[in-house]
Amino acid sequence: MTQRGKFITVEGTEGVGKTTNLEYIRNWLQHNKIEFLSTREPGGTPLAEQLRGLLLQPRDEPVDQTAELLMVFAARAQHLNQVILPALEQGIWVLCDRFTDATYAYQGGGRQMDSGIIARLETLVQGDLRPDAVILLDVPVAVGLARAKGRGVLDRFEQEDIAFFERVRGTYRERAQGNPAYHLVDAGQALPQVQAELDKVLVQLKGRWLP
Ligand code: TMP
C-alpha cells in the first residue's frame, strides 16, 4: 500500500519572506527527490482562486466576519477535496502556502472571532486532517509590514492596522507553543541563516518520515 503523503504548511504574517522561503523549500524537496505538489490558500483550484480574489479585494462595503470566515472555509473544502487529499492519498507530499492555522491567526486573532467556531468549521471541513508540519516564519510585525508595503498596492488584509497584525502574530506564536507539529523559524535573520534553519527542519522531518 502507498504510504500517505506528508502535508506541510508554511505560515506567517505579512512580509515574513514566505515567497522566497517557499521557493527554497521547493528546491530542497526537488533536490531530495521527494514528489510533491505546491499549492496555496485561499486558492489552489479555479473556484477557490475566485474566492481568494473576492476575499482579498478591497471594497467599500464592510465585509461581515462570518461571511469572510465561511468564504475561507468554502475555498478550503474545495481545495482539500479536489487537490490536497487526492495527492496525499497517492503518496505525494503537499506543500501549502497557509492553511487553517491562518484562519485561527487572522479570523480568530486578527478579527477576534470565537476560536470554538473556527474549530467546529475545521472539523466539518477537514474531519481529523491536520498538517503534519507547520513551518512558522516569524518576524516582528513592524519589520514585516515595512517589507509588505514596499510591494505596492495593498490587499484587504494588508490594509489592516498594526494592532490587527500584532494579534495575528501573537496567535501564531501561541499556537506554536507546545505543539510538536510547529517549527518556529526566526525569519528576521539574514536569509542564509533563515535557510540554514529551514534546512535543519527539513532534514529532521525527512529523517522522521522517510526510511
Ligand atoms: P498571502 O497568500 O499573500 O499571504 O495572502 C493571503 C491573505 O489571506 C493573508 O493576508 C492572510 C489571509 N488569510 C486569512 O485571513 N485566513 C485564512 O484562512 C487564510 C488561508 C488566509
Side-chain angles (χ1 to χ4, degrees):
M1 210 179 85
T2 321
Q3 205 201 347
R4 192 186 170 96
K6 294 297 177 187
F7 183 27
I8 303 174
T9 64
V10 176
E11 300 279 357
T13 48
E14 325 302 301
V16 288
K18 250 181 334 107
T19 307
T20 311
N21 289 307
L22 274 162
E23 184 63 23
Y24 180 83
I25 298 171
R26 281 193 287 269
N27 287 336
W28 190 95
L29 291 168
Q30 255 157 17
H31 183 77
N32 283 272
K33 306 204 169 13
I34 294 170
E35 194 184 353
F36 71 99
L37 182 144
S38 179
T39 185
R40 69 171 179 182
E41 289 231 341
T45 85
L47 171 59
E49 287 291 331
Q50 282 190 335
L51 286 165
R52 177 192 178 87
L54 294 175
L55 277 161
L56 297 193
Q57 183 189 327
R59 58 184 76 239
D60 295 332
E61 176 187 359
V63 177
D64 178 77
Q65 294 190 345
T66 305
E68 179 179 289
L69 180 67
L70 292 173
M71 277 194 275
V72 164
F73 272 108
R76 181 160 301 138
Q78 184 70 8
H79 186 207
L80 193 60
N81 289 302
Q82 296 297 312
V83 175
I84 298 177
L85 285 176
L88 295 176
E89 275 153 20
Q90 287 173 59
I92 298 168
W93 289 24
V94 174
L95 175 65
C96 195
D97 180 349
R98 298 194 187 282
F99 196 64
T100 306
D101 290 280
T103 314
Y104 282 101
Y106 283 78
Q107 281 66 46
R111 304 260 188 254
Q112 300 177 289
M113 293 190 81
D114 179 354
S115 63
I117 291 174
I118 299 174
R120 270 151 64 193
L121 290 171
E122 181 181 39
T123 303
L124 171 73
V125 169
Q126 298 165 220
D128 58 8
L129 180 101
R130 301 290 178 275
D132 295 296
V134 180
I135 298 177
L136 174 60
L137 301 170
D138 183 60
V139 295
V141 169
V143 175
L145 283 183
R147 287 191 199 155
K149 287 203 168 106
R151 293 199 290 244
V153 184
L154 301 181
D155 69 33
R156 199 168 59 81
F157 290 99
E158 288 165 344
Q159 290 177 356
E160 291 294 338
D161 60 17
I162 196 141
F164 176 92
F165 290 109
E166 291 291 0
R167 291 195 298 275
V168 172
R169 181 182 184 219
T171 307
Y172 273 134
R173 290 173 61 93
E174 264 167 38
R175 288 180 66 74
Q177 289 224 333
N179 181 340
Y182 256 89
H183 300 269
L184 193 147
V185 172
D186 173 3
Q189 310 170 85
L191 196 56
Q193 269 92 60
V194 176
Q195 294 183 337
E197 267 197 48
L198 280 177
D199 202 71
K200 235 190 266 170
V201 171
L202 293 166
V203 167
Q204 188 193 328
L205 293 176
K206 185 180 170 213
R208 192 185 305 161
W209 291 339
L210 292 181

